[in-house]
Amino acid sequence: DSGVTQTPKHLITATGQRVTLRCSPRSGDLSVYWYQQSLDQGLQFLIQYYNGEERAKGNILERFSAQQFPDLHSELNLSSLELGDSALYFCASSVEGRSLHFGNGTRLTVT
Amino acid sequence: GEDVEQSLFLSVREGDSSVINCTYTDSSSTYLYWYKQEPGAGLQLLTYIFSNMDMKQDQRLTVLLNKKDKHLSLRIADTQTGDSAIYFCAESIRGGSQGNLIFGKGTKLSVKP
């Protein structure tokens, strides 16, 4: 168990809808990272937050946004969903400058 | 741009050694990583190596780094059926923190009894 909790485990929704994925980092970790894993693109870094502030952006679409709250949990919001957004979304956390610990992911299916 | 390449499949017999190879492009990467992903689970960090090292050994795992050729390998000694999983090579993104990683597509290791 990595100590990183993601909810829900599975999510099925329709095109055009909006969903929110939730992540609770390991106790003491200030950094939260979001990654998308799809069959064609593999694992792609989306965004990083550190202690509530955005730290780095990767290949995140404008339809996607994230935030990190004062209690350090993070949410990834995906809107105007398209079929191609179907993927596994992973959250990871770390102590700054140390290695990542991944959650088990949320599997999103857009129909 | 930055890219990480690895072969997609590897099949070995139980008890043999497995060698998973990876090439990367960013010579300024500070850290290079190996992660393991079992079905239905997240990625588990196996080991990492600093870019100024040539080799790192951790129990059954040996990582070799050839900076000149930008080649990284993971050797698993005495491979067991429990080692069956997808193995990802990753490098840290130029100028990014250690968590901003570029991953390869993963090598699926199948271990036959």
Side-chain angles (χ1 to χ4, degrees), chain A residues 13-18 63 78-83 85 110-111:
Chain A
T13 190
T15 54
Q17 295 299 305
R18 172 190 167 95
R63 300 183 286 109
L78 314 176
S79 60
S80 303
L81 285 167
E82 302 174 0
L83 295 177
D85 297 327
V110 182
T111 62

Side-chain angles (χ1 to χ4, degrees), chain A residues 15-76:
Chain A
T15 54
Q17 295 299 305
R18 172 190 167 95
V19 297
T20 297
L21 312 183
R22 184 187 167 99
C23 168
S24 294
R26 285 191 325 162
S27 177
D29 286 357
L30 298 180
S31 281
V32 169
Y33 305 79
W34 286 97
Y35 279 82
Q36 179 195 57
Q37 185 179 35
S38 61
L39 280 174
D40 54 345
Q41 296 290 324
L43 267 159
Q44 301 268 314
F45 167 68
L46 296 179
I47 197 163
Q48 177 201 357
Y49 276 80
Y50 175 78
N51 202 19
E53 295 193 359
E54 183 184 303
R55 175 65 67 92
K57 258 186 176 179
N59 299 321
I60 188 165
L61 300 172
E62 285 193 15
R63 300 183 286 109
F64 296 180
S65 65
Q67 53 186 328
Q68 187 179 26
F69 295 86
D71 67 353
L72 301 177
H73 91 270
S74 178
E75 292 181 355
L76 179 67

